Amino acid sequence: MTDFLDRRLARRFRAHDTNQNGYLERRDFDISAVRMAEEFGHGPESPARQKLVEISLGLWEHLRKVADLDTDGRISLAEYKAAFAAGLLETAESFDAGYVPYINAVMAVADQDGDGKLTLSEQVRWMGSLMHVPEPVVREAFHRIDKDNDGLITASELVETIRGYYFDESPDSPAHWLLGPLYP
């Protein structure tokens, strides 16, 4: 694993660790999905909220199965990184199989007018509520993801950027800016 990916994984781990206790747990995935849905006014009966929670918990279960080596019901940063080093995301195609449904669920909650595109405000709100990404970081990333400068990003642009977060080490890639600084 390269130093660059190691730092990106540590940053992604911190974004998942809702209570910042140093472990990923089921409740981190549940709480963050519910928080995001509520940010956009989706109550418990909302099908979009239910789908986001279901997919988030499915991601947790998959991650738990491959990364929770000591079977204590939580994943440390070392276990998280080891799972990636062992091939959790072997190819861009295997990435797509897991992340495309997740991003589609995010879009169903955050895309308030249903046009299949996110505004800057929607991007700020979902990234902040789901992963605690500060607004200035989201704004910077948004402008880099929005390659055609139309003020909107699509699900495919978002998936491409997230895929790049794991597979593209180019410092000029929009993925480089997705979750904020890699160096504290």
Side-chain angles (χ1 to χ4, degrees), residues 41-116:
H42 290 268
E45 302 305 316
S46 163
R49 173 181 169 156
Q50 292 170 0
K51 186 69 169 177
L52 180 62
V53 170
E54 174 190 328
I55 288 176
S56 293
L57 292 178
L59 288 173
W60 158 252
E61 283 303 317
H62 176 69
L63 188 58
R64 184 189 58 76
K65 286 177 188 172
V66 300
D68 185 12
L69 301 176
D70 60 7
T71 64
D72 65 353
R74 59 190 193 167
I75 299 166
S76 69
L77 178 57
E79 288 173 318
Y80 185 74
K81 288 179 180 181
F84 280 89
L88 179 62
L89 294 177
E90 294 175 7
T91 65
E93 293 77 25
S94 64
F95 167 86
D96 286 356
Y99 266 91
V100 169
Y102 180 71
I103 293 304
N104 289 338
V106 165
M107 292 290 285
V109 169
D111 178 16
Q112 294 190 292
D113 64 5
D115 68 352

Side-chain angles (χ1 to χ4, degrees), residues 39 64 68 78 81-82 91 102 126 129 138-139 147 168 173:
E39 169 68 25
R64 184 189 58 76
D68 185 12
K81 288 179 180 181
T91 65
Y102 180 71
W126 89 259
S129 62
V138 178
R139 287 180 174 280
K147 293 177 184 173
D168 183 354
S173 164

Side-chain angles (χ1 to χ4, degrees), residues 2-9 168-171 176 182-183:
T2 66
D3 179 60
F4 201 58
L5 181 57
D6 185 74
R7 289 182 181 276
R8 282 186 176 183
L9 290 175
D168 183 354
E169 294 195 7
S170 169
H176 182 72
L182 298 177
Y183 300 92

Side-chain angles (χ1 to χ4, degrees), residues 62 124 132 155:
H62 176 69
V124 165
H132 306 289

